[in-house]
Amino acid sequence: MRPSERQITAVLKSRGFTWLLIVTSLVMGWVAYNAGIADEAITVDSMWLPDPERWIASRWASALSSIVLTGGCCILMAFINKVHNLMRTVSLLFVGLFTIMLAATPKIFIAFGSGTVLVFAVLLSILLLYSIYDSPDNTRRLFMVFFILSCGAVFDYAFVPYIAVFIIGARQMKCLDWRSFLAAVIGVVTPLWILLGGGLLSLESFRMPDPRAVYEMYDAMGNINTFVCVGMTMALGLILGSINLMKIIAFNARRRAMVGFMCIVGILSGLLCIVDFTNIWAYVTLLYVCVAFQVGLFMRLYEARRAYIAVLAVMVLYLACFVWTVSV
């Protein structure tokens, strides 16, 4: 690369540029809030207790809570990379890219809901799961992983598929034997046991989700621009994930297992966006996290091959989606 290209790459990888992206996303959220986007919460059917979209009635409190929880998700993303050194870099570019992606669909960014809650729970669970790599005797942390996910499932059925995928993750982390599997099962059962035993829930109050027609969700999502943004994210994840795979297979066993599990979570999120279309808002935020991770990993692996061009293109595309969203 030419010296000027190395300088561009260095700027993109800097902490200052990450903070610029975060501030930009906050400005995007403020613009969308003033434009009246997400005035009405997008609600889904919960299994027992009210879903997170119904927790906060005030519009400004919902927006503030969503942004604060998004900040918590960003901290978890940075902490996971720092502790487990997944990308072998101190750059937090992927964190800034996640905030830009999320702000491009402001109905999620400035409205508290299941999507951000699911991301926080899954990232916290991933942090716990990674910490017990090759440690099947550490059943307490594995119990906490499934306890967290089961608590979320009480409010939104979107958590249920991730309970299954974390069993696969535990196997990948070499921490699954008969005792740890039993700890996982107890972790899933315990929240229901406590709530049912305490009289806070009843078996009669359980209800299966009632899927809505596609055209109803289309009206709720707003316009075709949202479909384009989600579809673009899925395509981006598929393309970059495939390119990164050629390098991932050369990682050591520990790093390959951790990066691989993040890929599995991203693939599941993308599939759920298609299969469970009526609850797409619950999955797309986690899809953004996984795709942002793939973009950051691509930047790290192919830095010498002008990866900065692809990263800049990604940012421009999401900014264009945001402008499209607020202008219609």
Side-chain angles (χ1 to χ4, degrees), residues 80-313:
I80 289 171
N81 183 59
K82 179 180 179 180
V83 172
H84 301 290
N85 200 18
L86 298 187
M87 292 189 286
R88 301 288 176 86
T89 178
V90 297
S91 173
L92 296 178
L93 174 63
F94 65 101
V95 176
L97 288 172
F98 162 66
T99 61
I100 291 294
M101 291 177 176
L102 187 58
T105 46
K107 277 183 176 290
I108 307 174
F109 187 47
I110 59 173
F112 188 83
S114 299
T116 313
V117 175
L118 176 64
V119 169
F120 189 84
V122 169
L123 286 174
L124 184 58
S125 299
I126 287 175
L127 180 62
L128 291 171
L129 185 65
Y130 284 179
S131 69
I132 54 175
Y133 178 83
D134 201 17
S135 302
D137 294 334
N138 200 332
T139 56
R140 293 182 180 180
R141 293 190 182 183
L142 195 63
F143 165 84
M144 283 303 303
V145 167
F146 290 92
F147 179 83
I148 291 169
L149 296 173
S150 183
C151 286
V154 174
F155 299 96
D156 193 326
Y157 69 88
F159 283 80
V160 175
Y162 293 96
I163 293 176
V165 83
F166 267 85
I167 291 292
I168 300 174
R171 180 67 177 173
Q172 281 186 272
M173 296 304 118
K174 301 179 181 180
C175 60
L176 191 65
D177 57 16
W178 70 269
R179 287 183 301 172
S180 56
F181 180 76
L182 182 60
V185 172
I186 294 174
V188 172
V189 172
T190 299
L192 299 177
W193 190 357
I194 294 173
L195 293 172
L196 289 171
L200 300 176
L201 296 179
S202 65
L203 293 176
E204 292 76 17
S205 64
F206 175 80
R207 53 192 177 274
M208 290 296 294
D210 182 20
R212 288 166 286 177
V214 171
Y215 70 86
E216 292 178 349
M217 276 305 297
Y218 177 80
D219 291 339
M221 291 178 73
N223 289 289
I224 192 66
N225 53 333
T226 304
F227 289 92
V228 171
C229 191
V230 175
M232 181 179 67
T233 304
M234 295 172 64
L236 184 63
L238 180 62
I239 294 170
L240 292 184
S242 300
I243 295 173
N244 291 340
L245 182 62
M246 294 184 288
K247 296 283 189 178
I248 293 173
I249 57 178
F251 293 171
N252 60 47
R254 179 178 178 274
R255 189 179 174 210
R256 185 169 62 245
M258 293 180 178
V259 174
F261 180 65
M262 190 73 74
C263 293
I264 291 175
V265 172
I267 292 171
L268 175 65
S269 301
L271 290 175
L272 288 171
C273 284
I274 299 172
V275 175
D276 188 20
F277 181 79
T278 57
N279 199 18
I280 190 173
W281 294 111
Y283 310 115
V284 70
T285 309
L286 187 52
L287 178 64
Y288 287 151
V289 169
C290 296
V291 173
F293 175 81
Q294 289 294 342
V295 177
L297 186 60
F298 176 81
M299 181 69 173
R300 171 66 180 85
L301 296 175
Y302 297 95
E303 177 181 330
R305 299 185 182 181
R306 297 180 172 86
Y308 73 91
I309 297 175
V311 174
L312 289 174

Side-chain angles (χ1 to χ4, degrees), residues 2-62:
R2 295 191 296 268
S4 59
E5 292 178 308
R6 293 193 185 94
Q7 187 174 6
I8 293 173
T9 299
V11 170
L12 291 178
K13 293 170 59 179
S14 67
R15 294 293 179 90
F17 188 77
T18 298
W19 279 110
L20 177 62
L21 292 179
I22 293 173
V23 172
T24 301
S25 68
L26 292 175
V27 173
M28 293 163 67
W30 179 80
V31 171
Y33 181 88
N34 288 328
I37 296 177
D39 280 342
E40 297 181 3
I42 301 171
T43 58
V44 296
D45 295 321
S46 57
M47 296 179 68
W48 262 298
L49 298 178
D51 56 271
E53 283 80 0
R54 295 183 172 90
W55 291 359
I56 304 174
S58 171
R59 180 172 173 254
W60 71 266
S62 175

